[in-house]
Amino acid sequence: MSLTEDDLRAAIARELPGVRADLERLVRIPGIAFDGFDHSQVERSAEAVAELLRGCGLDVQIVRAGGQPAVIGHKPAPPGAPTVLLYAHHDVQPAGDPALWTSDPFEPVERDGRLYGRGAADDKAGVMAHVAALRAFGDQLPVGVVLFIEGEEEYGSDSLDELIETHKELLRSDVIVIADSGNWDIGVPALTTSLRGLVNCFVEVSTLQNAVHSGMFGGPVPDALTVLARLISTLHDEHGEVAVDGLVGREGASVDYPEERLRHEAGVLDGVRMVGNGRLTDRIWTKPAISVLGIDAPKTQEAANALVPRAKAKLSVRLAPGDDPASAYAAVRAHLEKFVPWGAHVEVTLESGGAPCVIDATGPAYDAARAAFTTAWDGVAPVDMGVGGSIPFIATFQELFPQAAILVTGVEDPFSGAHGPDESLHLGEFARVCLAEALLLRNVAGLGE
């Protein structure tokens, strides 16, 4: 006998205290996959996730492909029922400067209905939303499930393609739920239907064999920092539009993003103007963007009166849906090589890349998801939205499982602050997410009847 909506509401309410306690335990584990951090904590995080999945009655294994550990849990489908793959990741971003946090980033604290801590939203709450739905059903789960909890998403998912290929048959499913995005607003759910791609690269310029006296040689001899600054400035026109030939961009986002809301959510200072042209949603979702993430140069307090011989910057290029990482990188490299001033030497190297994606969110599985979201949010229908960030492996799922419906959901809201200080989870919205996932599994089960 299948559980009713009222049954699932009661079950989620019953399970939420335990789900929150387990979420807090996960947040206390600083599982950071970046180089230079204690990777035994990533192992510890994977073990904790595996224990949670075993507690849901799943057959569990910890797997790797040369990188950090992922966790796969599996429970076969009842006869005639579909199988749903539930994705999240258990690794987190580095916390950065602890002084910028109001409280310890790895000690979860509730303030004003939000749970603060690194990974509280991105993406340990995604892990726990899956666990909450499974616990709500207990031994009456109406679908087969495969939980795939990655361990190095924040570090670039370098081994993910190999993991998916190695375990392709185990991961094969009818519906894929990726809980690593967010909702449109507090009180307004969303399905993510497009994401930008990503190319991270380095540009290094050189003008001198060694540093030389700025008074003796400054004037005719260019320093590398000035060259780098002028080169970076060519990446945008006077309006802030990306000025690199060959990058794809388009318009047509279907949702308005009020500028006042964006300024508030991003923390833009008074008087700072938005850059670029067109609707804000186009600029964030469907057009390319180039940002300077860092520069290698002497610190101001340590800088001598000398011309800097070499300078290096890291660039982040967000790609519009429809672009290709390889051709985009080639376009950026060609631009930098063409516009480097004064004959300075320039070297451009690729760090990483990931493909953008567009999801055709039509069909029975998407109808089932929208119905679940509308019920969980008490009649508020979900918005179809784009995301300016990147989840490159979605394209891998699309390629390997072309018949599967891919649903990109998440627990974040515009104030979650993922990747920044004081990352947080809105606990009321989290409860709705958990209910929505349980309802989704029930609705999807009906598709196999």
Side-chain angles (χ1 to χ4, degrees), residues 53-60 72-75 134 141 145-147:
L53 301 191
R54 291 188 191 102
C56 296
L58 275 61
D59 180 22
V60 178
I72 299 178
H74 177 254
K75 190 170 187 177
L134 296 181
L141 189 64
V145 293
V146 181
L147 271 78

Side-chain angles (χ1 to χ4, degrees), residues 320-342:
D323 210 342
D324 170 72
S327 63
Y329 170 64
V332 172
R333 183 180 60 194
H335 177 99
L336 294 168
E337 292 171 347
K338 176 181 178 180
F339 288 100
V340 64
W342 305 323

Side-chain angles (χ1 to χ4, degrees), residues 21 41 59 62 85 102 107 132 151 168 179 195 203 255 258 300 313 358 363 382 449:
Q41 297 291 349
D59 180 22
I62 295 176
L85 188 153
T102 304
E107 182 53 48
K168 180 169 63 176
L195 298 101
V203 53
V255 180
T300 56
V358 176
E449 296 176 355

Side-chain angles (χ1 to χ4, degrees), residues 8 14 25 114 127-128 153 179 223 312 327 329 392 424:
L8 290 175
R14 180 189 69 236
R25 278 191 280 272
R114 303 188 71 97
V127 176
M128 293 312 302
E153 192 275 343
D223 67 272
K312 184 178 183 180
S327 63
Y329 170 64
S424 67

Side-chain angles (χ1 to χ4, degrees), residues 29-42 45 68 90-96 106 118 151 154-155:
I29 304 173
I32 301 167
F34 285 69
D35 290 340
F37 290 86
D38 181 3
H39 290 167
S40 70
Q41 297 291 349
V42 188
S45 179
Q68 300 302 325
H90 65 88
D91 67 306
V92 298
Q93 281 280 325
F106 295 107
R118 175 58 86 224
E154 299 291 8
Y155 189 53

Side-chain angles (χ1 to χ4, degrees), residues 192-216:
T192 297
T193 57
S194 73
L195 298 101
R196 290 193 292 194
L198 175 67
V199 167
N200 277 353
C201 62
F202 300 97
V203 53
E204 183 171 13
V205 297
S206 305
T207 58
L208 298 161
Q209 292 181 347
N210 300 289
V212 296
H213 195 294
S214 61
M216 296 292 291

Side-chain angles (χ1 to χ4, degrees), residues 144-204:
V145 293
V146 181
L147 271 78
F148 183 48
I149 312 299
E150 191 191 353
E152 58 180 17
E153 192 275 343
E154 299 291 8
Y155 189 53
S157 299
D158 286 346
S159 66
L160 183 63
D161 284 0
E162 185 176 346
L163 278 174
I164 295 174
E165 185 66 42
T166 300
H167 302 281
K168 180 169 63 176
E169 291 310 312
L170 180 59
L171 298 175
R172 190 175 299 280
S173 50
D174 303 290
V175 177
I176 299 172
V177 179
I178 297 175
D180 193 22
S181 186
N183 289 304
W184 178 240
D185 202 353
I186 295 172
V188 183
L191 284 173
T192 297
T193 57
S194 73
L195 298 101
R196 290 193 292 194
L198 175 67
V199 167
N200 277 353
C201 62
F202 300 97
V203 53
E204 183 171 13

